[in-house]
Amino acid sequence: MNKSVSEYRKIINQAQWQTPEQFQFASEHVKQWLMEQGSLTHKLLQQCQNLTVDVVTNAQCQIADIAPSESELLEDTHCWLREVVLHGDSVPWLVGRTLMPVLGMEMGNYNLSHQGNTPLGETVFASQNTARDALELTQVTVDGMPLYARRSRIWVDQTPMLVTELFLPDAPIYIAESHEWS
Ligand code: VNL
């Protein structure tokens, strides 16, 4: 990975997000990745032996860390920030950024700050009461390479979380012939 997570954070914060109706999908393969309604963790697990999580940030964030469009979707600026790099067989595949209002963490059953090195998809999607909405997509150019990102709001027991996923250059979304083995 030739950029730091804080550089990717800036890129994500400046992205122009589009709805799935507005977004031009380069192929059916790309569409399947970006539109995945279940857990991206599970989809990535089908492409490698070991999926590992590097937790880069696990802290209450400052208002300056949140883009206006993010606080709008969460209706709150007092958020917990978790930033991770997901590796498939030791290759960095994805930067994950998750924001959750602190109030929701205190009131609800799910506490993002306790997630540790377990991929979010393994716990959050294991919960019965989850729903996803506000899916948005973008393409950003990093060092001349167009990279895909998506974000969506996930509700766990009525508490929202905003999940942003940036696919790094070696992610399987860019390999047209990658397919599922299961
Ligand atoms: C995590 C895992 C986050 C997989 C993700 O997107 C993801 C995490 C925000 O463990 O924080 O796709």
Side-chain angles (χ1 to χ4, degrees):
M1 210 166 92
N2 40 22
K3 285 221 169 328
S4 68
V5 167
S6 67
E7 286 174 285
Y8 285 117
R9 181 196 296 157
K10 276 190 212 134
I11 292 162
I12 289 171
N13 276 349
Q14 287 161 8
Q16 303 287 315
W17 295 95
Q18 296 185 308
T19 64
E21 291 74 33
Q22 295 167 324
F23 193 78
Q24 298 275 319
F25 295 97
S27 66
E28 192 56 34
H29 169 80
V30 165
K31 186 173 182 176
Q32 278 178 14
W33 275 100
L34 293 178
M35 296 294 290
E36 173 62 42
Q37 294 295 307
S39 154
L40 212 53
T41 301
H42 289 155
K43 202 166 163 64
L44 291 167
L45 262 170
Q46 290 165 352
Q47 306 286 332
C48 63
Q49 301 291 322
N50 286 300
L51 195 67
T52 48
V53 176
D54 252 11
V55 180
V56 179
T57 312
N58 187 38
Q60 178 145 0
C61 65
Q62 310 294 314
I63 290 185
D65 296 332
I66 313 182
S69 69
E70 293 180 322
S71 44
E72 256 168 52
L73 283 164
L74 291 169
E75 295 178 1
D76 208 333
T77 49
H78 260 84
C79 291
W80 195 268
L81 172 64
R82 169 179 166 91
E83 288 174 315
V84 302
V85 180
L86 229 72
H87 297 251
D89 296 334
S90 303
V91 178
W93 274 359
L94 191 117
V95 173
R97 168 185 172 87
T98 306
L99 285 164
M100 184 173 193
V102 171
L103 194 63
M105 273 183 7
E106 285 163 359
M107 312 266 288
N109 298 322
Y110 175 71
N111 190 318
L112 181 65
S113 70
H114 298 160
Q115 183 70 26
N117 291 90
T118 308
L120 210 58
E122 282 183 22
T123 48
V124 169
F125 284 91
S127 156
Q128 293 289 302
N129 287 314
T130 51
R132 192 194 288 275
D133 68 2
L135 177 66
E136 291 177 304
L137 314 162
T138 193
Q139 201 175 24
V140 292
T141 304
V142 181
D143 295 338
M145 173 148 181
L147 300 181
Y148 293 113
R150 63 177 219 162
R151 78 176 178 193
S152 54
R153 192 168 45 184
I154 294 174
W155 296 84
V156 187
D157 301 323
Q158 271 103 60
T159 304
M161 241 189 292
L162 190 63
V163 172
T164 305
E165 292 150 320
L166 172 70
F167 292 87
L168 295 172
D170 292 317
I173 190 173
Y174 305 109
I175 305 168
E177 64 274 22
S178 76
H179 56 276
E180 289 166 15
W181 296 99
S182 63

